[in-house]
Amino acid sequence: GVTLLTSSSCLLKPKMGNQQPGGGVNLNCCGGNRKGDGSYISSEKIDRPTLQPPMPESYRNLTSSQQRQWHTDDISFVDGKPLKQDKNLSAKTTSSIDIYTTQSDLVLLNKAREQKDIRTIVQLLQSDEPIALKDGVIHPWASNPRSVGALACSQLSIYASQKNPQFLPEFLKSIPTLVELLRSDSRDKQESAVIALDFLVDQDESVRKAMVRCGAVDALIQHLSAPKDLMKAAAAQILRNLYAGNHEIQMRLLTFGCVPYLVDLLNSSDSDIQYDGIQCNLDLVLDTSQRVIPEIADAMILKYHILKRLKALMTSPEEDIASEARRAFVILDEYNQQRQVSNIIFN
């Protein structure tokens, strides 16, 4: 059957830590794993929903024994007579899920999962073969997959969460397709791709470089205004891994009008998003020498009033949020005072 995703928290992953030299984020440093929830996705076995497909007309005319034979022996019947199974028609049952598809991609995905065949899973990211989950939710906030490609994204997330270096070559091959799925018209594909990229982005520097080369920055920017807060937060976290310490990408986000969306994360009622939002804004406004980037700081302070929002979070009952808010406030307030002094002197 298909291994579904389960969660012990409401966000994609543990809280990210502070910026590492050369990009990326150290999950083990101060500030990482804020609540100690552990890895977001596991392959824990849970009750499986059943795929409920339409059956062909000839199937409905079969006796019960013929229907059982049709499933188990890959034999189809017309007018009660057995015929060789159509190449474009496959139907099987497993102990955990009933499968009927017009092609065999879902069967291939099941086999690839059982065999830990990452290469095939990556190839199936492009599959548009439809699936339907009758019951159950496989992710706390993302839409249930409606295609094999989206389901393959979910399976890829499981392997990415294990951080096995032997999978890295196949992970790199998945990046172009995942970025393409970010631009899909299907919400389930968009959200599944974000989840997969969120697990892949801190695997290795080569993964982050591949994301940038494939256009992930521009593709993720459009999701900062997604209707779901956790989708916005996930997109912001991936972008954070890409823009931290990269002046060109930091300025690109400023040019594309991303600052208000990142500042708005501080207004969330979700404490995890508040905490991540503080770090996302700090990593956007600081360069590799931890100096404030004036253009970005001016936008945050003068246009989007980040100091007021940080001051409110300084009174948070959660000490880690209050502490991070104080740190960010001190950095930006000091810059703001220096800016005001400079304006007085030169005016």
Side-chain angles (χ1 to χ4, degrees), residues 293-311:
I293 301 172
E295 300 92 331
I296 297 176
D298 287 347
M300 288 181 172
I301 295 169
L302 300 178
K303 293 183 67 176
Y304 305 113
H305 312 292
I306 192 172
L307 291 177
K308 180 180 179 181
R309 302 181 189 194
L310 288 170
K311 195 169 185 178

Side-chain angles (χ1 to χ4, degrees), residues 53-70:
M55 287 299 182
E57 188 65 34
S58 60
Y59 180 89
R60 301 190 183 100
N61 299 324
L62 305 183
T63 65
S64 298
S65 61
Q66 288 173 332
Q67 288 179 353
R68 285 195 296 272
Q69 186 181 6
W70 186 84

Side-chain angles (χ1 to χ4, degrees), residues 49-53 97-98 106 130-135 145-147:
T50 301
L51 298 182
Q52 296 293 326
I97 197 165
D98 292 330
L106 186 54
I131 61 175
L133 300 181
K134 180 182 178 183
D135 300 306
R146 296 194 298 271
S147 69

Side-chain angles (χ1 to χ4, degrees), residues 96-145:
S96 60
I97 197 165
D98 292 330
I99 298 169
Y100 172 87
T101 61
T102 55
Q103 297 182 26
S104 59
D105 287 356
L106 186 54
V107 175
L108 290 174
L109 180 59
N110 280 330
K111 291 180 180 179
R113 178 192 63 78
E114 293 167 357
Q115 299 169 5
K116 296 185 178 181
D117 182 0
I118 310 299
R119 176 175 298 181
T120 297
I121 292 172
V122 170
Q123 292 172 345
L124 289 170
L125 294 174
Q126 302 180 58
S127 174
D128 290 321
E129 182 176 300
I131 61 175
L133 300 181
K134 180 182 178 183
D135 300 306
V137 175
I138 70 172
H139 192 275
W141 60 262
S143 304
N144 274 352

Side-chain angles (χ1 to χ4, degrees), residues 197-260:
L197 289 169
D198 198 24
F199 278 99
L200 289 171
V201 72
D202 54 15
Q203 296 281 322
D204 187 85
E205 178 64 18
S206 62
V207 174
R208 292 187 285 277
K209 289 181 178 179
M211 288 185 184
V212 173
R213 285 197 306 270
C214 293
V217 173
D218 290 358
L220 286 163
I221 283 175
Q222 66 180 335
H223 296 297
L224 291 177
S225 58
K228 297 180 181 178
D229 286 347
L230 290 169
M231 177 68 166
K232 290 187 285 191
Q237 286 283 34
I238 303 169
L239 282 167
R240 179 189 170 205
N241 270 280
L242 304 181
Y243 65 63
N246 187 316
H247 186 74
E248 180 180 352
I249 299 179
Q250 287 169 320
M251 296 306 293
R252 188 170 186 81
L253 264 68
L254 174 65
T255 301
F256 276 68
C258 299
V259 172

Side-chain angles (χ1 to χ4, degrees), residues 275-346:
Y275 181 85
D276 290 342
I278 296 169
Q279 294 193 330
C280 285
N281 280 280
L282 273 178
D283 280 339
L284 183 64
V285 78
L286 296 176
D287 63 17
T288 53
S289 300
Q290 298 297 290
R291 292 177 299 196
V292 170
I293 301 172
E295 300 92 331
I296 297 176
D298 287 347
M300 288 181 172
I301 295 169
L302 300 178
K303 293 183 67 176
Y304 305 113
H305 312 292
I306 192 172
L307 291 177
K308 180 180 179 181
R309 302 181 189 194
L310 288 170
K311 195 169 185 178
L313 291 177
M314 287 164 59
T315 62
S316 170
E318 299 197 37
E319 179 53 36
D320 52 355
I321 294 178
S323 177
E324 281 295 289
R326 283 192 293 270
R327 184 168 76 94
F329 183 89
V330 168
I331 291 171
L332 290 172
D333 187 54
E334 181 179 346
Y335 164 80
N336 191 42
Q337 291 181 27
Q338 292 175 352
R339 181 189 60 80
Q340 291 173 342
V341 170
S342 296
N343 287 342
I344 291 173
I345 293 174
F346 289 105

